[in-house]
């Protein structure tokens, strides 16, 4: 969709793309530059990129940058245009802008630049401009060109097979004797097999709107070694490229990485992974008669926690063929991983309460966002490595709860708008995605650029006016799409799929509701959108509601006699987005008892609608049912993940939910949004939180304290409460904001105090509210009348 936009953003480069020979798949590029005597570096920065590989999943493998021997960057990551037609793939190439000043401190007389790249097919090339400013005022630009040196590292990396589940990325069966040594360091001396770099065809580029990825070296927390075996554990999920240095050994090293140990074993990694990934490499150690250490460095990132190495004297491409104990133990000099992730500041967000379980769940979800976020959100960096809309929306809201900024979410959203996936509901999430950016920041660009796509994604074009509902029996579906309701399918609670689907209709109401708000901000005529949402919501509460059972049914055309968990949760969530829509809902007592009995029936994805529906429409219990569901220890729970040893949220609640389970799926982090919007009750009423509401739903929590970063405000929200015989709230809000506070009221009559003085208040269900609370730090307290 945006090829024209991206083409217009092309920048001027001083240099040209470079590579090795035409046969080179893995290339090492380097250039050493000396400074004039007396010149002192002030700043160094780089614009850098590499042509993306075909296939969206491997775009982090384009380049790896070293400066003066230190790892400095990796990328470029996914672009913001359609990757389907290969002819336009080069238009998707983004470039990073990286501040490299700190890397000049260990070499004040010059600069050694080294770039590693990988090529599969199609166009290739690494492109960079390095800008150096000296304190004298002089400036120097170092572009990529034929003055760089290139080394063909293909015979070192020896690509074989694939590590991928649903994508292709080669396993790297490294051969130590073919490695050139510390080629990235300033002291390295080039040999004759380093040749002048070969210029490549220029390709279009666009500046990246997000931060460069953070890449750093990390050693495992635990290592167990005997003569023929080594096991290591990073104690958490890492998206990383493993490296090893070993001495006094001339055989083979079989390296296996994974997320899970085989039941009943202490050191045996499950291989292949449940996701279908084959993170196994066979490395040949030794340099003939040379006693130098064997150095192994993988190029392509894997996502794993554990690693094991078998040392053997015979092997084939898939592993050791003998497992005899070695007479002497190989010397492991170093095991480490180059970890890549989107920048994360642990001090920006926090939460603690008197519930140890809730605290642990918050930490699990927050750590998941930290460890699994790359250039965009993805389902996981294991099996598919793809950005999906529903996964991404939940992940993005989770990141809003713990990290400042909105650029990462916006960039990720644009990528999915250009590369949509197959579920109908995933398309219906797109208006929510654009709306979340608007409410967090005031930015309407996504809505402006993609208005027609967002409107089409609501499925409102399939509104059957006679029936009053979305009816795919009367309207062709978007090609390639079908309804999903929940995933994996085992979590659908027997949902009856038909052309008139309650979940789909609920989504249309919700997506039209938020799209109408965006349209109003853009000055559009939204009357038809509001009218359609109004008509569908009315019909949902009549034709899709069973008066006898007191429950919503799955749909029409044969689904009238079944009421799945998802029909209730999605109606509650979507019709809870607007006060006018809420008024249409029938008596919810039967639905409350139904959901209390069914508990978390849906998946880690489906729980989002469940909790949002509870907090919006069944909140007269002050969030008790929602809190019980978040902290319980059934199989379908975050507690179950923790008991299973997860260090990041899993793809499903358990292996029973899906046998191809990954242990690193950020779409399972809904608890972060539940804590922010539900437990602590913070939501924006106007874009950028210029107006906000704080309505805590503490359940039986007696205390809690949280910090929520803001995308555009200068300071975060700090909220804490004490929930004893009465309720008190301490908050600190950014300058220039104002809001509404609603405090939960127990039995009795209360007044509200603001900083010790009675303020005007009003009742709203089981809450006492006051408007126009000021910015800054203040205390609100309920006092008996």
């Amino acid at each position: 969709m945006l090829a024209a936009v991206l083409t217009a953003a092309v920048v001027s480069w001083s240099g040209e793309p470079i590579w090795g020979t035409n046969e080179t798949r893995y290339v090492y590029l380097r250039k050493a530059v000396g400074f004039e005597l007396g010149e002192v570096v002030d700043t160094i920065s780089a614009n850098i990129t590499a042509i993306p590989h075909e296939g969206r999943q491997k775009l982090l493998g384009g380049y790896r940058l070293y400066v003066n021997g230190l790892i400095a960057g990796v990328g470029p990551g996914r672009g913001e245009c359609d990757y389907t037609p290969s002819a336009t793939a080069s238009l998707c190439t983004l470039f990073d802008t990286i501040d490299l000043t700190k890397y000049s401190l260990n070499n004040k007389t010059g600069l050694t630049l080294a770039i590693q790249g990988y090529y599969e097919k199609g166009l290739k090339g690494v492109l960079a401009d390095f800008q150096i400013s000296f304190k004298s005022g002089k400036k120097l630009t170092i572009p990529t060109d034929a003055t760089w040196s290139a080394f063909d590292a293909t015979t070192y990396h020896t690509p074989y097979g694939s590590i991928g589940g649903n994508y292709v990325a080669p396993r790297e069966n490294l051969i130590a004797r073919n490695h050139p040594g510390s080629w990235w360091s300033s002291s390295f001396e080039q040999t004759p097999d380093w040749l002048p770099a070969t210029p490549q065809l220029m390709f279009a580029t666009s500046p990246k709107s997000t931060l460069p990825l953070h890449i750093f070296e990390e050693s495992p927390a635990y290592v167990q070694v005997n003569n023929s075996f080594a096991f290591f554990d990073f104690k958490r999920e890492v998206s990383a490229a493993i490296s090893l240095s070993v001495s006094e050994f001339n055989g083979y090293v079989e390296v296996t990485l994974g997320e899970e140990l085989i039941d009943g074993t202490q050191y045996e990694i499950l291989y292949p992974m449940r996701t279908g990934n084959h993170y196994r490499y066979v490395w040949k150690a030794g340099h003939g008669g040379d006693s130098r250490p064997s150095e192994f460095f993988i190029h392509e990132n894997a996502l794993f926690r554990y690693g094991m190495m078998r040392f053997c004297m015979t092997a084939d491409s898939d592993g050791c063929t003998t497992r005899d104990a070695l007479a002497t133990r190989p010397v492991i000099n170093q095991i480490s991983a180059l970890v890549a992730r989107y920048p994360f500041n642990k001090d920006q967000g926090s939460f603690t309460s008197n519930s140890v379980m809730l605290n642990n769940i918050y930490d699990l979800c927050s750590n998941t966002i930290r460890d699994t976020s790359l250039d965009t959100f993805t389902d996981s960096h294991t099996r598919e490595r793809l950005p999906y809309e529903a996964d991404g929306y939940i992940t993005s809201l989770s990141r809003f709860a713990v990290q400042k900024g909105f650029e990462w979410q916006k960039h990720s959203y644009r990528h999915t708008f250009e590369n949509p996936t197959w579920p109908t509901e995933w398309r219906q999430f797109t208006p929510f995605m654009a709306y979340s950016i608007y409410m967090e920041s005031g930015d309407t660009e996504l809505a402006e650029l993609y208005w027609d796509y967002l409107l089409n994604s609501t499925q409102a074009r399939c509104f059957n006016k006679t029936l009053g509902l979305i009816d795919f029996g009367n309207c062709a579906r978007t090609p390639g799409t079908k309804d999903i309701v929940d995933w994996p399918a085992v979590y659908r609670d027997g949902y009856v799929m038909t052309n008139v689907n309650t979940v789909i209709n609920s989504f249309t109401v919700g997506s039209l509701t938020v799209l109408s708000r965006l349209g109003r901000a853009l000055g559009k005529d939204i009357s038809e959108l509001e009218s359609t949402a109004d008509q569908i919501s009315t019909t949902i509460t009549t034709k899709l509601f069973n008066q006898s059972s007191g429950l919503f049914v799955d749909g029409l055309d044969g689904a009238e006699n079944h009421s799945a968990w998802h029909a209730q949760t999605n109606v509650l969530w979507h019709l809870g987005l607007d006060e006018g829509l809420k008024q249409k809902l029938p008596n919810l007592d039967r639905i409350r008892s139904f959901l209390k009995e069914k508990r978390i029936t849906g998946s880690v994805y489906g729980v989002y609608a469940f909790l949002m529906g509870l907090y919006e429409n069944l909140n007269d219990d002050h969030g008790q049912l929602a809190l019980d569901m978040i902290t319980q220890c059934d199989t379908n729970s975050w507690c179950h993940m923790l008991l299973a040893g997860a260090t990041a949220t899993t793809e499903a609640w358990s292996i029973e939910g899906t046998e191809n389970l990954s242990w690193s799926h950020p779409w399972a982090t809904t608890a972060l949004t539940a804590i922010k919007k539900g437990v602590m009750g913070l939501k924006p009423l106007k874009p950028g939180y210029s107006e906000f509401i704080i309505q805590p739903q503490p359940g039986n929590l007696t205390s809690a304290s949280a910090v929520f970063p803001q995308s555009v405000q200068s300071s975060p929200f700090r909220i804490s409460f004490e929930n004893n015989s009465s309720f008190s709230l301490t908050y600190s809000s950014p300058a220039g904001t104002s809001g509404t506070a609603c405090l939960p009221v127990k039995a009795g009559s209360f007044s509200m105090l603001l900083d010790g003085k009675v303020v005007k208040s009003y009742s709203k269900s089981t809450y006492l509210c006051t408007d126009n609370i000021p910015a800054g730090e203040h205390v609100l307290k309920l006092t008996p009348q």
Side-chain angles (χ1 to χ4, degrees):
M1 299 177 196
L2 283 185
V5 176
L6 289 169
T7 302
V10 172
V11 299
S12 176
W13 292 83
S14 299
E16 56 191 338
I18 57 173
W19 201 254
T21 66
N22 286 336
E23 293 73 31
T24 301
R25 292 184 63 183
Y26 293 87
V27 70
Y28 298 163
L29 302 162
R30 71 187 310 273
K31 184 179 180 69
V33 179
F35 300 150
E36 293 181 14
L37 187 65
E39 290 288 3
V40 178
V41 170
D42 186 22
T43 63
I44 303 178
S45 64
N47 290 335
I48 182 170
T49 188
I51 194 72
H53 314 308
E54 292 187 7
R56 291 184 283 154
Q57 301 93 329
K58 304 189 295 299
L59 295 183
L60 287 180
Y63 78 83
R64 185 184 296 165
L65 171 66
Y66 298 85
V67 178
N68 287 339
L70 301 174
I71 185 69
V74 63
R78 298 165 182 84
E80 296 177 352
C81 64
D82 185 355
Y83 275 79
T84 304
S86 58
T88 63
S90 63
L91 294 174
C92 299
T93 306
L94 303 180
F95 66 84
D96 287 302
T97 298
I98 308 176
D99 183 356
L100 303 173
T101 305
K102 66 181 180 181
Y103 300 101
S104 68
L105 301 178
N106 63 342
N107 185 358
K108 298 182 179 181
T109 62
L111 197 64
T112 299
L113 304 171
I115 308 173
Q116 179 174 322
Y118 167 72
Y119 153 76
E120 190 168 306
K121 58 183 177 179
L123 295 175
K124 57 180 177 288
V126 172
L127 177 63
D129 279 344
F130 298 87
Q131 297 89 26
I132 305 173
S133 295
F134 298 97
K135 293 189 181 295
S136 66
K138 290 184 178 180
K139 297 184 183 298
L140 174 65
T141 296
I142 305 170
T144 48
D145 56 25
T147 65
W148 284 60
S149 298
F151 178 85
D152 185 347
T154 308
T155 59
Y156 169 67
H157 287 274
T158 318
Y160 167 76
S162 177
I163 64 171
N166 291 12
Y167 59 92
V168 176
R171 292 154 66 178
E172 298 169 51
N173 286 349
L174 308 176
I175 301 174
R177 69 173 180 272
N178 293 336
H179 191 261
S182 300
W183 62 276
W184 53 80
S185 70
S186 300
S187 59
F188 178 73
E189 294 185 8
Q190 293 180 190
T191 53
D193 43 7
W194 284 81
L195 303 174
T198 305
Q200 304 294 311
L201 292 174
M202 194 65 182
F203 49 86
T205 62
S206 297
K208 189 184 288 186
S209 59
T210 55
L211 297 172
L213 288 179
H214 182 206
I215 185 166
F216 56 95
E217 189 169 10
E218 182 173 326
S219 297
Y222 178 78
V223 180
Q224 172 69 32
V225 182
N226 61 35
N227 282 13
S228 57
F229 180 82
F231 171 86
F232 51 95
D233 181 2
F234 283 87
K235 298 295 184 180
R236 61 180 177 84
E237 295 280 332
V238 292
S239 177
I242 200 75
S243 64
L244 167 71
S245 174
V246 61
S247 299
E248 300 182 20
F249 181 62
N250 290 303
Y252 293 90
V253 188
E254 175 195 287
V255 180
T256 304
L257 307 175
E259 295 185 305
E260 183 180 356
L261 300 180
I262 295 175
D263 286 346
T265 70
Q266 189 175 5
Y267 302 127
E268 193 75 22
I269 295 173
L270 181 67
Y271 178 84
M273 290 167 55
R274 293 184 186 276
T275 56
N277 292 91
H278 290 72
Y279 294 153
R280 175 166 288 172
Y281 317 91
V282 182
W283 298 343
K284 180 63 177 74
H287 297 272
D290 194 331
S291 61
R292 285 179 299 149
S294 296
E295 307 284 356
F296 301 104
F297 304 93
I298 287 289
H299 177 79
E300 179 70 31
N301 273 26
L303 184 55
F304 62 97
R305 172 181 172 177
Y306 303 104
M308 64 181 183
M309 296 181 291
R310 299 188 187 279
F311 301 94
C312 59
M313 299 311 297
T314 60
D316 59 23
S317 296
D318 292 307
C320 290
T321 54
T322 59
R323 294 193 176 184
D324 298 332
L326 300 179
T328 59
R329 177 181 298 184
V331 176
I332 297 177
N333 305 311
Q334 168 262 342
I335 305 173
S336 65
L338 282 179
V339 181
R341 67 187 187 207
Y342 197 73
F344 188 95
N345 185 338
K346 64 180 179 63
D347 297 324
Q348 288 184 356
S350 64
F351 172 79
T352 186
S353 72
N354 67 293
S355 169
V356 174
M357 179 55 67
L358 189 60
N359 299 343
N360 290 341
I361 291 168
Y362 175 91
D363 289 342
L364 173 69
C365 294
S366 179
N367 291 344
T368 302
I369 298 300
R370 178 194 66 196
D371 294 332
T372 65
S373 299
L374 294 170
D375 60 309
T376 65
F377 52 64
T378 61
D379 63 330
S380 171
H381 204 58
T382 52
R383 181 176 58 253
E384 293 190 69
R385 297 189 177 185
L386 281 182
Y388 282 91
E389 296 90 338
D391 305 51
Y393 178 70
I394 293 171
T395 301
S396 293
L397 295 193
S398 295
R399 190 172 184 92
F400 281 135
V402 295
Q403 291 292 282
K404 184 178 176 66
F406 66 95
E407 294 82 2
W408 182 83
Q409 290 92 329
K410 182 180 176 182
H411 164 62
S412 299
Y413 288 168
R414 282 179 71 154
H415 180 86
T416 58
F417 292 177
E418 293 292 337
N419 299 274
T421 60
W422 60 268
T424 309
E425 298 94 318
W426 277 210
R427 304 289 180 97
Q428 292 177 297
F429 263 106
T430 58
F432 287 92
M433 297 159 86
Y435 184 66
S436 72
I437 296 296
Y438 172 61
M439 291 306 288
E440 284 290 327
S441 67
D443 187 327
T444 59
E445 185 181 33
L446 288 181
E448 294 174 50
L449 286 174
Y450 291 96
W451 180 264
D452 291 342
Y453 175 69
L454 300 178
L455 179 57
N456 187 62
S457 295
T458 67
Q459 310 303 314
R461 62 181 179 78
C462 287
F463 177 53
N464 183 332
K465 293 182 179 180
T466 302
L467 183 62
L469 294 167
I470 303 301
D471 177 10
F472 290 130
N474 194 50
C475 170
R477 294 174 182 269
T478 301
T481 65
K482 60 181 180 179
D483 305 344
I484 192 170
V485 173
D486 206 346
W487 190 260
V490 68
Y491 292 112
R492 287 181 183 153
D493 193 31
Y495 199 98
V496 179
M497 299 284 207
T498 64
N499 284 323
V500 182
N501 183 321
T502 299
V503 169
I504 298 299
N505 276 275
S506 298
F507 259 99
T508 298
V509 171
S511 58
L512 284 175
T513 299
V514 297
L515 192 62
S516 296
R517 295 171 186 170
L518 285 168
R520 187 177 295 112
L522 297 176
K524 292 181 178 290
D525 180 0
I526 58 172
S527 56
E528 185 175 353
L529 277 65
E530 291 181 319
S531 174
T532 302
D534 182 68
Q535 292 177 70
I536 296 174
S537 61
T538 297
T539 311
I540 286 175
T541 57
T542 54
K543 293 182 180 179
L544 297 180
F545 184 73
N546 185 320
Q547 295 288 346
S548 298
S549 68
L551 300 173
F552 291 98
V553 298
D554 295 352
L556 301 180
D557 298 341
E560 298 91 338
N561 295 321
H562 190 265
S563 294
W565 183 84
H566 305 78
Q568 324 312 313
T569 60
N570 280 275
V571 172
L572 288 181
W573 170 33
H574 291 290
L575 270 67
L577 294 171
D578 180 84
E579 288 299 324
L581 296 176
K582 284 184 182 182
Q583 303 307 314
K584 299 183 178 186
L585 289 169
N587 184 288
L588 299 177
D589 289 346
R590 174 65 186 109
I591 293 176
R592 185 198 304 273
S593 61
F594 175 86
L595 293 176
K596 191 172 184 178
E597 177 185 349
K598 299 280 281 188
R599 300 171 74 79
I600 299 178
T601 298
S603 73
V604 297
Y605 153 72
V607 75
Y608 179 85
F610 177 44
L611 292 176
M612 295 306 106
L614 293 182
Y615 282 124
E616 289 293 345
N617 281 305
L618 295 177
N619 58 18
D620 53 353
D621 68 347
H622 301 158
Q624 186 61 56
L625 178 57
L627 181 65
D628 289 343
M629 294 301 98
I630 295 171
T631 57
Q632 48 89 8
C633 288
D634 297 348
T635 299
N636 293 4
S637 71
W638 284 282
C639 171
H640 183 79
M641 294 184 195
L642 290 166
L643 293 174
T647 62
T649 53
T650 52
E651 182 177 6
W653 296 118
S654 66
I655 294 169
E656 289 72 29
T658 179
E659 291 187 356
N660 61 354
L661 179 93
S662 93
W663 292 71
S664 50
H665 251 66
W667 81 331
T669 56
T670 284
L672 292 176
T673 300
I675 288 171
K676 178 181 178 180
K677 293 184 175 183
V679 175
M680 305 308 290
L682 175 64
K683 292 183 287 188
L685 296 178
K686 289 190 175 180
Y689 287 80
S690 59
E691 290 186 18
F692 60 88
I693 185 170
I694 302 175
Q695 183 176 345
Q697 298 187 45
N700 59 8
L701 291 176
T702 58
S703 64
S705 178
V707 177
F708 299 116
Q710 295 302 292
S711 295
V712 294
Q713 300 292 347
S714 58
S715 59
F717 279 88
R718 300 179 186 275
I719 304 171
S720 61
F721 64 71
E722 296 290 331
N723 182 27
N724 298 304
S725 56
S726 64
F727 194 92
S728 65
L729 173 78
T730 300
Y731 76 92
S732 174
S733 59
T737 63
S738 64
T740 293
C742 294
L743 306 187
V745 176
K746 300 175 182 178
S749 181
F750 291 84
S751 298
M752 188 180 294
L753 304 179
L754 173 63
D755 298 331
K757 297 180 180 180
V758 175
V759 292
K760 184 178 179 180
S761 59
Y762 57 93
S763 294
K764 183 179 179 182
S765 182
T766 57
Y767 298 83
L768 192 63
C769 303
T770 185
D771 297 328
N772 302 314
I773 60 174
E777 185 171 346
H778 302 277
V779 178
L780 287 159
K781 188 173 183 178
L782 296 179
T783 183
Q785 288 185 342

